[in-house]
Amino acid sequence: MTGSRRKAREVALQALYWSESSGDPVQQTLHAMALRAGLTDEAAEFAHALGRETWTRKDELDGLVEGISRNWALERISRIDRILLWMALTEMLAFDNIPVKVSMNEAIELARRYSVEKAPTFINGILDALVRQKGILAEAAD
């Protein structure tokens, strides 16, 4: 069984992608994918929490991304990259125990694995701009 948070993030990413694509309930998809991945209880709990919170916030997060991504309408951002942005932003805004830089680095690493060659740079740029604009780093330091 695997207990890593990176594996839990992969499960959340896959579940969110599946639910966004198919319309299946995210809670059910998270449960099934966490079981299939053999996550430890702690990692499964993190995957569920991240997936549920991200799903709940996705419209708000799209608004943040759309507001910062010049010359890139949301429709032009691939589904996988949007979900990676959603997840990183959710961690930054809702998970106080995860440093902002860790959330950014994890999103970039997942983009390297699951998206196209230019995605890590794009995701880093959007997240960095949002962190600076929204003062997320300053808030996290308080």
Side-chain angles (χ1 to χ4, degrees), residues 76-103:
R76 290 185 62 203
I77 300 173
S78 74
R79 181 173 295 150
I80 196 82
D81 292 347
R82 278 178 64 201
I83 294 170
L84 287 168
L85 289 166
W86 292 348
M87 287 173 49
L89 289 168
T90 297
E91 283 187 27
M92 291 175 194
L93 296 169
F95 290 77
D96 295 338
N97 62 336
I98 301 172
V100 169
K101 291 192 182 280
V102 169
S103 299

Side-chain angles (χ1 to χ4, degrees), residues 5 8-9 12 16 30 42-57 61 85-104 136 139-142:
R5 280 205 167 176
R9 286 180 180 95
L16 291 165
L30 282 163
E42 184 179 335
E45 185 178 313
F46 177 69
H48 283 261
L50 178 59
R52 283 190 313 266
E53 188 68 26
T54 299
W55 192 257
T56 300
R57 293 174 174 253
L61 300 171
L85 289 166
W86 292 348
M87 287 173 49
L89 289 168
T90 297
E91 283 187 27
M92 291 175 194
L93 296 169
F95 290 77
D96 295 338
N97 62 336
I98 301 172
V100 169
K101 291 192 182 280
V102 169
S103 299
M104 289 178 70
I136 295 172
E139 291 171 14
D142 291 345

Side-chain angles (χ1 to χ4, degrees), residues 7-72:
K7 187 65 180 168
R9 286 180 180 95
E10 288 179 3
V11 165
L13 172 64
Q14 292 166 355
L16 291 165
Y17 189 91
W18 181 266
S19 291
E20 183 73 8
S21 301
S22 69
D24 287 352
V26 74
Q27 189 70 12
Q28 177 183 333
T29 306
L30 282 163
H31 180 73
M33 293 203 173
L35 284 174
R36 186 175 302 136
L39 297 180
T40 63
D41 290 344
E42 184 179 335
E45 185 178 313
F46 177 69
H48 283 261
L50 178 59
R52 283 190 313 266
E53 188 68 26
T54 299
W55 192 257
T56 300
R57 293 174 174 253
K58 66 182 186 166
D59 292 335
E60 168 197 351
L61 300 171
D62 271 346
L64 289 173
V65 171
E66 192 169 42
I68 203 75
S69 56
R70 296 179 188 102
N71 303 321
W72 280 92

